[in-house]
Amino acid sequence: MASAVEIDAMRRALQLARRGPRGLNPQVGAVILSPAGEVLAEGFHRGAGTAHAEVDALSQLAPGAARGATAVVTLEPCNHTGRTGPCALALIDAGVTRVVYALDDPTDAASGGADRLRRAGVDVESGIERDAAESVVHDWTALVRTGRPHVTVKWAQSLDGRAAADDGTSQWITGPAARRDVHARRAAADAIVAGTGTVHADDPALTARADDGSLLDAQPTPVIVGRRDTAPDAAVRRHPREPLFYATHDVAAVMADLGARGVQRVFVEGGPTLASAVVGAGLADELLVYVAPVLLGGSRLALGDVGVPTIADARRLSVASIQNLGDDLLIVAHPSSDREGQS
């Protein structure tokens, strides 16, 4: 059983893990404890090609200083050679006698480190602060499992389901509180995706901004999808992050490529055509629907064809939450495979 000192060290390792970049590799933190329970070194993974968290921590110690020590790591030490060597072997060579970790590595290539450590006579314990560790790498494990990012589709609509008035005007359907919430969610995403039609019609900046219009520290990479050209002076070309352009309507291929680039979380905010394509392709993991207490009427629906020819094929949703944002409502929903009650 893990000691109180080891649990505290794991919580520190989780804090360290969050310092690392999101991408194709997981965010991992490590703390090396002396036999007396004192912190000898700390480390975290700083990105592809750099030392893994355990090796980063060990590199701060003099040769032999880790003999008899305990390594506390948020993810099972890896057992493969990629750009760097196996962390399990590095710990064995350093003379570590106990390893405490939170989560098993879910990848076939890197798993098995715990067994290698045990075969070398190292005492190994897993599952410490498992839930907290899972929250750190949740998006990465989803990327490993599906090969694509977690996809959130957002739209704002009137009470009667319209995204714009009949003349095409659509700005400020919702109020300041809803817009503030949207920008916070943009900042939490790795990428924000819009269609070329929306870029042409509205010239959005696709930045995450504060109430005063200033840029937030975290900015998603803008991704533009569609076959129309984007004007040289479009606002998105002045985004603090280099935009990605995909001259295609194949949203599944776009998401697969973003996944291959290490993008873990995508925010789709690009108009009814793109939203409908993503939902219709079954790629939406989360829906954010901001509903304003206004009526617009007309033909400009917030969502178009999503491949539902009959009520039996309706895309059922599970509502996670309903929140008041000023005069508006935010409905957060997820796709549901439950077809009970359909008739």
Side-chain angles (χ1 to χ4, degrees), residues 104-312:
D104 293 331
D105 193 306
T107 63
D108 292 336
S111 63
D115 288 339
R116 186 171 189 169
L117 288 162
R118 291 188 180 101
R119 289 195 300 268
V122 177
D123 181 33
V124 179
E125 185 167 351
S126 64
I128 309 306
E129 295 292 297
R130 184 192 307 273
D131 290 345
E134 172 60 31
S135 70
V136 173
V137 296
H138 176 269
D139 293 335
W140 174 77
T141 55
L143 177 61
V144 169
R145 185 177 67 253
T146 66
R148 66 167 178 81
H150 179 280
V151 178
T152 294
V153 179
K154 167 264 177 183
W155 68 82
Q157 67 173 58
S158 62
L159 196 60
D160 56 345
R162 269 60 179 179
D166 252 358
D167 65 355
T169 54
S170 61
Q171 282 193 319
W172 317 138
I173 287 179
T174 54
R179 295 196 293 274
R180 187 178 305 116
D181 186 80
V182 168
H183 282 280
R185 293 175 187 270
R186 284 184 181 184
D190 299 321
I192 180 169
V193 184
T196 53
T198 295
V199 171
H200 178 78
D202 298 336
D203 194 26
L206 300 182
T207 51
R209 302 183 298 277
D211 289 348
D212 62 2
S214 62
L215 296 180
L216 298 178
D217 290 339
Q219 292 292 326
T221 296
V223 177
I224 310 303
V225 179
R227 297 192 180 279
R228 297 181 69 169
D229 290 335
T230 300
D233 61 347
V236 70
R237 294 189 183 275
R238 300 188 295 275
H239 196 283
R241 292 191 176 273
E242 185 71 22
L244 296 174
F245 296 92
Y246 292 89
T248 179
H249 297 302
D250 186 344
V251 290
V254 171
M255 296 304 169
D257 186 73
L258 291 175
R261 293 172 180 265
V263 174
Q264 295 182 12
R265 185 165 287 269
V266 161
F267 197 68
V268 176
E269 191 184 358
T273 301
L274 181 62
S276 301
V278 173
V279 173
L283 296 171
D285 299 298
E286 180 178 60
L287 300 176
L288 303 178
V289 185
Y290 295 84
V291 182
V294 297
L295 301 174
L296 294 176
S299 60
R300 294 184 179 266
L301 297 175
L303 203 64
D305 182 11
V306 294
V308 179
T310 180
I311 192 65

Side-chain angles (χ1 to χ4, degrees), residues 1 26 29 41 45 66 80 99-100 122 150 224 253 264 272 280 292 319:
M1 179 179 292
H45 188 211
H80 81 304
V99 172
V100 177
V122 177
H150 179 280
I224 310 303
Q264 295 182 12
V319 175

Side-chain angles (χ1 to χ4, degrees), residues 32 58 61-69 87-97:
I32 308 296
L58 290 172
L61 299 176
R67 296 205 176 278
C87 291
L89 181 58
L91 292 169
I92 293 167
D93 289 345
V96 168
T97 56

